[in-house]
Amino acid sequence: MPSLSPAILSILTPFAVLFSRPVWNNALKLLMGTILCRGKRTVCSALRMMGLDNDTAFAKYHHVLNRVAWSPLLGAKILLKLIVEVIGSGNPLVFFIDETLERRKGPKIKAKGYYRDAVRSSKNIVVKSSGLKWLSLSVSWRFLFLSDSLLCLL
């Protein structure tokens, strides 16, 4: 079984507190398989790349993110702390917030609502669609090793 380098593990280790030890080991296997696989990055593709596609208990890998009790809020706090450590406390942080409507139908979708569809709406016509509203937060900063002359070339 291949293993991750110490440099990658040093970045991932803070997230280990989110999971129990067996689930964390399964999450690492999924991560390695996801990095290695080509095409769609599904759980099955990741398991296939790791040679675990014939494992009799492969369903436990599907449960890593959807059935195991873990806190996305705690994961976000850990990620923000790591980003601030990399950027440094003296450098400015620029945040970008975006909302996306994922159009979904069906009775089993719990958080479904009716939202303004920015893609289908115009200045005069407002179109509402049912689905899930996702908010994403991005952080932007300038790498210190990039000089202004190099940025002009990009």
Side-chain angles (χ1 to χ4, degrees):
M1 181 74 57
S3 62
L4 294 169
S5 70
I8 294 174
L9 283 175
S10 68
I11 294 170
L12 296 177
T13 303
F15 296 98
V17 299
L18 297 172
F19 307 100
S20 65
R21 181 164 301 277
V23 174
W24 176 246
N25 291 332
N26 292 341
L28 287 178
K29 289 176 191 173
L30 282 175
L31 177 68
M32 283 188 283
T34 304
I35 291 170
L36 295 173
C37 75
R38 301 172 119 191
K40 289 189 175 183
R41 285 175 167 74
T42 62
V43 173
C44 292
S45 298
L47 292 176
R48 211 173 294 122
M49 284 306 300
M50 296 301 293
L52 298 171
D53 51 344
N54 292 327
D55 190 0
T56 57
F58 74 91
K60 65 184 176 184
Y61 294 99
H62 286 274
H63 301 308
V64 168
L65 294 177
N66 68 349
R67 289 202 182 161
V68 176
W70 64 286
S71 171
L73 181 62
L74 181 59
K77 286 180 183 179
I78 294 169
L79 180 61
L80 183 60
K81 182 181 173 195
L82 288 172
I83 289 171
V84 169
E85 286 176 6
V86 168
I87 296 173
S89 59
N91 296 326
L93 290 174
V94 179
F95 292 99
F96 298 100
I97 300 173
D98 184 38
E99 62 181 31
T100 303
L101 177 63
E102 179 185 4
R103 292 179 205 88
R104 299 284 298 266
K105 294 181 180 178
K108 293 186 178 182
I109 301 170
K110 295 180 182 176
K112 180 177 67 172
Y114 288 93
Y115 302 103
R116 179 186 176 274
D117 193 340
V119 174
R120 295 180 178 170
S121 297
S122 67
K123 196 181 265 186
N124 299 330
I125 300 171
V126 175
V127 177
K128 297 201 178 222
S129 297
S130 72
L132 302 171
K133 186 178 272 194
W134 294 94
L135 292 175
S136 62
L137 175 72
S138 303
V139 178
S140 176
W141 78 90
R142 177 180 272 185
F143 291 102
L144 297 176
F145 60 84
L146 291 176
S147 65
D148 289 332
S149 60
L150 184 61
L151 285 175
C152 292
L153 296 174
L154 298 175

